[in-house]
Every structure is written in C-alpha cells, then in structure tokens.
Amino acid sequence: MAFDIDKYTATSVNVNWSDLDFDEFKTNPLPDSTLRSLRYMCDIEYHTVCYLRDMLVTPSHKDPEVSAFMTMWNREEFWHGEALAEVLGAHGITVDFDQLKATRLKLGWKDRLDPVKQSLLGNIVGKDFIAVHMIWGAANEWSAVAAYNRLAELEKHPVLAVLLKRIAKQEAKHVAFYATQARERLAASKKARVIARFALKKAWGPVGSSVMEPEEVTHVMGHLFAGDEGMREIRKLDDHISRMPGLEGLEIVETAMKKYGVAA
C-alpha cells in the first residue's frame, strides 16, 4: 500500500497528553529503572533535530516527499520528547535544553563533522543514498515502536501505558513511510541494495547508541528486551528488516543487542 504523504502532512498533530491525569504519578510513581529508561528516550527524541540537520545536506532533502515527511517527523518527535519530559517532571526530574546541548558538546568534533561526512557520503553514493536513509530510518522506527509498546506492557501504569501507546501509534506512521520508501528504492537499484546491506551490517546500532553513554544503552536495552519475550521482539525486528529487497538473512538487531549484553 502506498503511503499518502499529502494526507500525512495535512493530518500530522502533536501527541496529546492533556487529558491524562498526571496526578496519578504522585500516588503511583514509576520505579527508578523505568525513569532512567524514559530519560534516555526523552533525550533521544529531542536529539532528532540533529539527525534532521545531518540529512539536510544529503540527496534526501532534494526529494519532495522525503523532505515533507522529515519536516513533520521532526515536529512529532519533538513533541514525543515534550510528553516524556512531562512524565519525568512529575517525578521531580527536570529535562532542559542546556543538558541536551551538553550531551551534544561531549561528542565534540564528531558532532560537528557528522553533517560533513553525511554530505560527502551522500554526494559520492548519489540518489541511492536515499534508499539507505530510508531503510536505516525504518530499522530505527521499528525499534522505537517495539520499545514504547514493550515499556507500556512491562510497566502497565494506567497513565504511562496510555501515553506510550499514543507515541507508538505515531511512530508506526513513521515506519509506514520509511518502509514503503525503502522497499521501493531497494527493489529498483542493485547498488542501493549492496550499499544498504553493507551499511546496516557494519554500522547500525540501537537507537541512541551513537550519542548516549554505553552504560545507559546497556540499561535501556536490557530493561526493555531482556528475557525470552524480549528476544522474540528483537527477532521480529530483524524479520521486518530481512524481508526488504537485498537484506535477506540480516540479524543486525540481535547482533547489536548481544553486544550490549541482552540475551534470552
């Protein structure tokens, strides 16, 4: 089924939480392990603008459907961060942009060079770079949907679960765009299939692992995906990816999770 970009851009809205009773967190607060995972998720949602920055110097920004999607996608991800920040705030945890800026500054030259590297890579690869961008985005968004739904199921908090399900529903729309674009572009180009397979196998990692401290990545991935049920979710993600043209047999998610100590 084709993704209707016009409908998406016309109907994109902020995730809503104004109808949820956050006073519930006073009598039914979240445990520290969950708050730690939520802080990670919040930081990464806010960090989306840096990913958008890097993509704007690649061939992706010249494609009208991709650029329209990325504009709405960045806006929705920002509001996911805002919603999670409200949950953290209800527990006395303040998330501010100075802290987020500090996270980016710790990356130093890596952060400043990322747009340059993306630009060079995009111009060398050409239009097929968009296919790599799309399947990479699909892998990330499939992971995000799984993470939000998994945390909702694990915590079963009457307010948090509802909010996380709403965020996951918007992330599922992002999956639909990325996956539709990736499937079409990979099917159309052998070069794109070869490059995408190489890039995913050599460089993909859990969402946030390129900017967060390793111990935080280990905590979040273990919190969400440890155990038999978690491993089933991980293998579902790999199954989604391996069904794409040219990506048969890839197990990038399970491989990455094992690197961070996540096992059944």
Side-chain angles (χ1 to χ4, degrees):
M1 183 181 297
F3 184 92
D4 190 336
I5 189 65
D6 292 330
K7 181 179 179 181
Y8 172 67
T9 56
T11 58
S12 174
V13 295
N14 304 342
V15 66
N16 179 44
W17 67 89
S18 62
D19 60 321
L20 300 179
D21 183 9
F22 272 40
D23 285 341
E24 175 72 22
F25 291 121
K26 295 178 181 178
T27 55
N28 187 10
L30 299 170
D32 289 343
S33 59
T34 296
L35 292 172
R36 186 177 176 185
S37 292
L38 287 173
R39 178 57 194 266
Y40 180 103
M41 292 170 159
C42 179
D43 284 1
I44 296 309
E45 294 285 15
Y46 276 143
H47 196 81
T48 297
V49 68
C50 292
Y51 186 64
L52 174 64
R53 172 205 64 185
D54 296 346
M55 291 300 104
L56 289 176
V57 295
T58 72
S60 293
H61 88 278
K62 297 178 182 178
D63 184 285
E65 288 197 1
V66 174
S67 61
F69 168 78
M70 295 290 285
T71 301
M72 298 298 109
W73 167 80
N74 182 65
R75 175 178 173 275
E76 291 181 357
E77 299 284 24
F78 169 80
W79 285 104
H80 296 170
E82 290 282 280
L84 298 178
E86 286 289 319
V87 175
L88 293 167
H91 292 80
I93 301 171
T94 301
V95 179
D96 60 52
F97 285 101
D98 285 341
Q99 291 173 320
L100 296 171
K101 182 179 179 182
T103 299
R104 291 195 287 270
L105 287 175
K106 282 198 302 184
L107 299 175
W109 281 105
K110 180 183 182 301
D111 183 60
R112 290 188 284 276
L113 285 175
D114 275 348
V116 178
K117 291 190 296 183
Q118 292 284 11
S119 179
L120 289 172
L121 179 61
N123 283 298
I124 291 170
V125 174
K127 192 174 181 179
D128 285 319
F129 177 88
I130 304 175
V132 181
H133 173 194
M134 294 297 101
I135 186 55
W136 196 284
N140 285 351
E141 296 291 354
W142 271 316
S143 300
V145 172
Y148 283 122
N149 283 331
R150 183 86 175 127
L151 186 55
E153 179 62 27
L154 288 170
E155 195 57 49
K156 292 183 171 63
H157 189 281
V159 174
L160 181 69
V162 173
L163 176 60
L164 295 182
K165 292 285 187 180
R166 290 178 183 178
I167 294 175
K169 187 175 181 179
Q170 281 197 335
E171 300 284 12
K173 291 183 181 180
H174 303 166
V175 167
F177 177 82
Y178 278 124
T180 299
Q181 288 275 332
R183 187 174 292 108
E184 293 174 355
R185 293 176 185 277
L186 290 171
S189 171
K190 180 180 179 180
K191 178 182 175 184
R193 293 193 293 274
V194 171
I195 295 172
R197 187 180 187 91
F198 178 83
L200 288 170
K201 188 173 182 179
K202 295 296 183 180
W204 189 87
V207 180
S209 59
S210 63
V211 296
M212 302 297 281
E213 296 293 340
E215 59 266 26
E216 294 307 309
V217 184
T218 296
H219 164 76
V220 174
M221 299 308 147
H223 182 196
L224 298 179
F225 296 111
D228 291 340
E229 183 60 34
M231 186 56 67
R232 279 192 286 271
E233 291 299 316
I234 288 169
R235 288 171 178 162
K236 285 180 185 178
L237 297 176
D238 276 330
D239 186 55
H240 287 314
I241 296 165
S242 65
R243 289 182 183 181
M244 287 289 175
L247 305 184
E248 298 83 0
L250 281 184
E251 296 181 345
I252 61 170
V253 183
E254 185 170 353
T255 298
M257 291 297 181
K258 286 179 178 178
K259 175 183 174 182
Y260 287 99
V262 178

